[in-house]
Amino acid sequence: MSDRVVRLTKMEELDEAVGSSSDRPVFIYKHSTVCPVSASAAGHYHDFAEEDSSSPPPLFTQVQVIENRDLSNEIESRLEVRHESPQLLLLRDGKVDWHASHFSITGKAIASALEDW
């Protein structure tokens, strides 16, 4: 896991991440530890996080959906995007500005999503 990706495990951490999306882009990556597609998407996401030099710098976060089911469900409910895993959400001002899942999570797609910031 990239050192630039923060693992979310508590509701308070989610609250902080969502709150900071008014100042900078916030990514929430929903990861399944038992899914090979998730492993591939995680590789793209973590590689992007390591190489990114955007300004303002995004907050890169990750939630393990099996181990943190309540948090994963809260993300779906609060942000009103149906759960999938792997899934990547980009937040702006507390709302989902862009999202992708499965094989659509690529470095190119992530970079493109950030262009509007």
Side-chain angles (χ1 to χ4, degrees), residues 7-15 28 30 62-65 67-78:
R7 187 167 290 160
L8 302 179
T9 61
K10 300 175 184 161
M11 295 294 178
E12 298 80 21
E13 295 166 339
L14 175 62
D15 294 340
I28 299 176
K30 295 176 80 176
Q62 177 171 316
V63 175
Q64 292 183 210
V65 298
E67 296 81 354
N68 298 285
R69 178 76 59 201
D70 289 345
L71 188 58
S72 176
N73 290 342
E74 177 65 17
I75 292 167
E76 177 182 28
S77 174
R78 185 186 305 189

Side-chain angles (χ1 to χ4, degrees), residues 17-84:
V18 171
S20 71
S21 70
S22 59
D23 300 323
R24 64 181 179 160
V26 173
F27 285 103
I28 299 176
Y29 173 63
K30 295 176 80 176
H31 179 69
S32 171
T33 53
V34 298
C35 172
V37 176
S38 230
S40 175
H44 292 291
Y45 177 59
H46 288 264
D47 288 348
F48 185 88
E50 279 298 314
E51 298 168 7
D52 182 61
S53 61
S54 301
S55 182
L59 172 61
F60 296 96
T61 70
Q62 177 171 316
V63 175
Q64 292 183 210
V65 298
I66 295 170
E67 296 81 354
N68 298 285
R69 178 76 59 201
D70 289 345
L71 188 58
S72 176
N73 290 342
E74 177 65 17
I75 292 167
E76 177 182 28
S77 174
R78 185 186 305 189
L79 299 177
E80 300 177 340
V81 175
R82 185 177 64 87
H83 168 77
E84 297 186 60

